[in-house]
Amino acid sequence: MPRATKVFLILYTIVLLLITIHWFSPFYLLNFDQENSLPQLTDEKDVVILSEKNFSHVVANNRYVMVDFCAPWSYYSQQLAPEYALAARQLKGKVMLAKVNAYEERGLKRKYRAQGHPNVYFFAGGVKMDSYTNARKRDAIVKWTKTKIALGVYTITSIEQAEQLLMAQFTTVLAFMDSVQGQDSEELAAASKMNTDVLFYQTTAVDVAKAFQFDQEIKIPALILLEKESQHLSHFYGPFTKYAIANFVSVNKLPPESDDHIDY
């Protein structure tokens, strides 16, 4: 074999060896992973961290809350994190965006049946109302959340939701009806727009009605208001129209000054 050919083969082998060492070196792999993985350094200053210690208090004392049950090792949780943080910044002052490390907070994960990661829930007045399943993008999160807070009236169906509502620190209106659709529901929704500082709910569930002390013989549709400071229940006896309901709420949403509390 000619000398020049031997030299070329030696040099080619050395270059190939150096490339192989560089490619598989731990330092290169680390850099490759960092460049191709999802962002880890996300500004999450507007996202509230929840745990077993503060979850109930935060949810019960904030009108609207989104909670992301996430896992640090989950690809989809990592994918959502930066977009969720951006949405939190945009919704600040309107909706609180929070997160729970479901891998560490197993009790909360079981309690709220957060299967898979991430699992995002929307709470209104302390009540778990819905799950977010749309795109993991800021604009989609913001749009969906604004739609939820604009509803005016929320439908509750379970005793679990009723218990959450009773624990919340908000003045609440609950209507017990034959149907959550139709004229009565429309009148209730219209009344809710006239008292935006009060949370409105509706139900057809007998168990929920019992939790709020609706009489078994009461005529449906029926409505009560729970004033948050005094925990006083006021029963509505007027015509089920938006103006009558709105007037009832306006009068009864403040703490009673005496035993002569006004029920309509």
Side-chain angles (χ1 to χ4, degrees):
M1 183 181 294
R3 179 182 176 86
T5 302
K6 288 182 178 180
V7 170
F8 172 78
L9 288 174
I10 292 171
L11 290 174
Y12 177 80
T13 302
I14 292 172
V15 170
L16 186 61
L17 182 61
L18 288 173
I19 291 173
T20 303
I21 292 172
H22 175 70
W23 181 266
F24 289 102
S25 102
F27 298 104
Y28 179 79
L29 289 175
L30 179 61
N31 290 332
F32 179 83
D33 288 342
Q34 289 177 340
E35 290 171 5
N36 291 275
S37 64
L38 294 163
Q40 298 299 310
L41 298 176
T42 305
D43 183 2
E44 296 185 304
K45 65 180 181 181
D46 296 315
V47 178
V48 178
I49 305 302
L50 300 180
S51 66
E52 192 83 48
K53 293 180 179 179
N54 67 347
F55 189 98
S56 296
H57 176 79
V58 170
V59 170
N61 284 273
N62 288 277
R63 190 180 181 90
Y64 302 115
V65 184
M66 288 273 281
V67 182
D68 170 22
F69 286 80
C70 62
W73 45 262
S74 164
Y75 170 83
Y76 295 112
S77 287
Q78 293 176 30
Q79 186 185 53
L80 174 64
E83 299 293 329
Y84 194 72
L86 291 172
R89 186 181 308 165
Q90 191 168 337
L91 291 166
K92 189 173 182 179
K94 298 177 181 176
V95 183
M96 174 183 287
L97 267 65
K99 69 192 308 182
V100 171
N101 185 333
Y103 182 73
E104 294 180 351
E105 302 292 338
R106 303 292 178 88
L108 288 175
K109 178 180 178 178
R110 286 192 298 271
K111 180 177 180 180
Y112 290 97
R113 295 183 285 278
Q115 302 301 321
H117 308 291
N119 220 313
V120 184
Y121 295 134
F122 173 75
F123 291 77
V127 183
K128 177 185 164 186
M129 298 305 310
D130 208 347
S131 299
Y132 178 78
T133 57
N134 292 11
R136 299 183 185 94
K137 295 294 183 180
R138 172 189 58 182
D139 291 345
I141 296 168
V142 170
K143 182 179 179 180
W144 185 88
T145 307
K146 285 184 175 180
T147 300
K148 287 297 175 184
I149 66 177
L151 284 177
V153 180
Y154 300 93
T155 301
I156 59 177
T157 59
S158 69
I159 191 65
E160 180 181 19
Q161 289 178 308
E163 291 170 351
Q164 292 170 355
L165 188 54
L166 287 167
M167 291 175 59
Q169 299 302 306
F170 299 95
T171 295
T172 301
V173 167
L174 176 65
F176 181 34
M177 299 186 290
D178 287 320
S179 172
V180 294
Q181 296 179 339
Q183 183 64 35
D184 291 336
S185 185
E186 290 173 7
E187 293 289 340
L188 184 67
S192 75
K193 306 299 183 185
M194 301 167 73
N195 283 277
T196 55
D197 56 335
V198 175
L199 283 163
F200 283 68
Y201 300 83
Q202 59 187 3
T203 189
T204 59
V206 175
D207 287 348
V208 172
K210 286 181 179 178
F212 281 85
Q213 301 177 25
F214 280 101
D215 199 331
Q216 288 185 340
E217 304 300 323
I218 199 165
K219 182 182 176 182
I220 297 176
L223 183 143
I224 60 95
L225 179 143
L226 175 60
E227 200 284 316
K228 68 172 183 178
E229 291 186 32
S230 64
Q231 293 296 297
H232 182 89
L233 274 173
S234 301
H235 291 264
F236 174 72
Y237 299 113
F240 213 85
T241 63
K242 62 181 180 181
Y243 293 114
I245 295 170
N247 184 57
F248 162 80
V249 174
S250 295
V251 171
N252 288 281
K253 65 185 178 182
L254 299 175
E257 296 181 2
S258 68
D259 293 336
D260 299 325
H261 195 60
I262 303 175
D263 291 347
Y264 285 83

